[in-house]
Amino acid sequence: RLKENNYILIYNKNKIKNEYTFEQLNILNNVKFLLLSKNNISYTVSRYINVRQYWYLYTVDGICFSPSQKIKLLGVGLFGSHENKIINATIKILDGPSTTSKIILEENIEIYPSSNKFNAITQIFFSRPVFCVQNQDYSVILYTKTNTNTFYGTNGKSYIDGEKGVKFFFKRVQGKSGGTGVETGNFPEFYYYLH
């Protein structure tokens, strides 16, 4: 059984709760998982003040961000469907402000549905942290074929003060990247370590 200790277990890109056993999770030999030390405290940046319904899920959507300090990006939060649909998608982290920038990380993910706005965010943790340099533009891009409406955020800002003096600056991704921008859209949360 997973006990309370100095580590967080990430399996299939989801944080595992302490009450599960390895047998219940079907963790077998040669299965990859990510073990994160709690000594490196993770922080969350939340982009929006309000959450609403009926955001059309674009085939390609994204947001560009720039941290004011060196960080390790652990993952992002994504809004789920309020139409009881699991969204199968691919997420990419790009080294630059455009959908044509170099790919740093690419992974297949699932975004879970939600019945209300209070638990509308699916936390997506990458298989490995992504090192981000201060004042460099990066893009988070979501590719999906799912036809559904999702929750979305409003009253976003162009920069947000994170923990330990880290500022996150946001802007629209260059190129075809759906409807998400600074003030409204998807990508409500960013999870990171200080480097």
Side-chain angles (χ1 to χ4, degrees):
R1 180 173 295 275
L2 300 176
K3 296 180 180 179
E4 189 65 37
N5 51 35
N6 291 326
Y7 298 94
I8 298 170
L9 178 65
I10 305 297
Y11 176 62
N12 280 344
K13 304 178 184 67
N14 294 307
K15 181 177 176 182
I16 303 303
K17 297 179 181 177
N18 288 332
E19 60 263 25
Y20 290 114
T21 65
F22 287 105
E23 290 81 13
Q24 288 172 317
L25 295 170
N26 196 28
I27 296 179
L28 307 173
N29 290 337
N30 300 321
V31 170
K32 293 181 180 179
F33 58 91
L34 178 63
L35 196 62
L36 301 174
S37 171
K38 285 185 180 177
N39 294 331
N40 294 325
I41 298 172
S42 63
Y43 301 103
T44 300
V45 165
S46 299
R47 294 185 58 220
Y48 301 116
I49 295 174
N50 298 314
V51 177
R52 302 181 189 275
Q53 289 184 335
Y54 296 105
W55 177 265
Y56 176 74
L57 186 65
Y58 291 83
T59 304
V60 180
D61 202 2
I63 190 70
C64 180
F65 74 96
S66 175
S68 64
Q69 298 181 34
K70 293 179 182 178
I71 63 166
K72 289 183 179 178
L73 186 67
L74 299 175
V76 296
L78 294 167
F79 285 119
S81 166
H82 49 76
E83 297 178 337
N84 199 32
K85 293 182 180 180
I86 293 177
I87 300 167
N88 292 296
T90 300
I91 193 164
K92 295 182 182 181
I93 308 298
L94 307 181
D95 187 10
S98 169
T99 54
T100 60
S101 298
K102 179 183 176 183
I103 299 171
I104 301 173
L105 181 102
E106 179 176 350
E107 297 187 348
N108 295 322
I109 61 170
E110 287 185 340
I111 307 166
Y112 301 109
S114 176
S115 59
N116 63 73
K117 67 180 183 179
F118 301 106
N119 62 352
I121 298 173
T122 296
Q123 293 182 321
I124 303 295
F125 291 95
F126 308 139
S127 60
R128 60 175 175 82
V130 176
F131 174 69
C132 299
V133 178
Q134 70 269 28
N135 304 320
Q136 167 70 38
D137 285 337
Y138 298 90
S139 297
V140 184
I141 310 293
L142 184 69
Y143 298 86
T144 179
K145 295 181 180 178
T146 305
N147 182 18
T148 187
N149 288 300
T150 68
F151 291 93
Y152 70 101
T154 64
N155 300 104
K157 297 180 179 179
S158 60
Y159 79 91
I160 297 172
D161 291 315
E163 298 288 339
K164 301 296 182 182
V166 180
K167 292 181 185 293
F168 276 74
F169 297 88
F170 296 98
K171 60 185 177 183
R172 184 176 290 276
V173 173
Q174 298 172 15
K176 183 180 178 183
S177 62
T180 292
V182 171
E183 296 181 355
T184 59
N186 208 330
F187 308 93
E189 293 181 340
F190 283 68
Y191 315 121
Y192 67 98
Y193 281 153
L194 290 180
H195 182 66

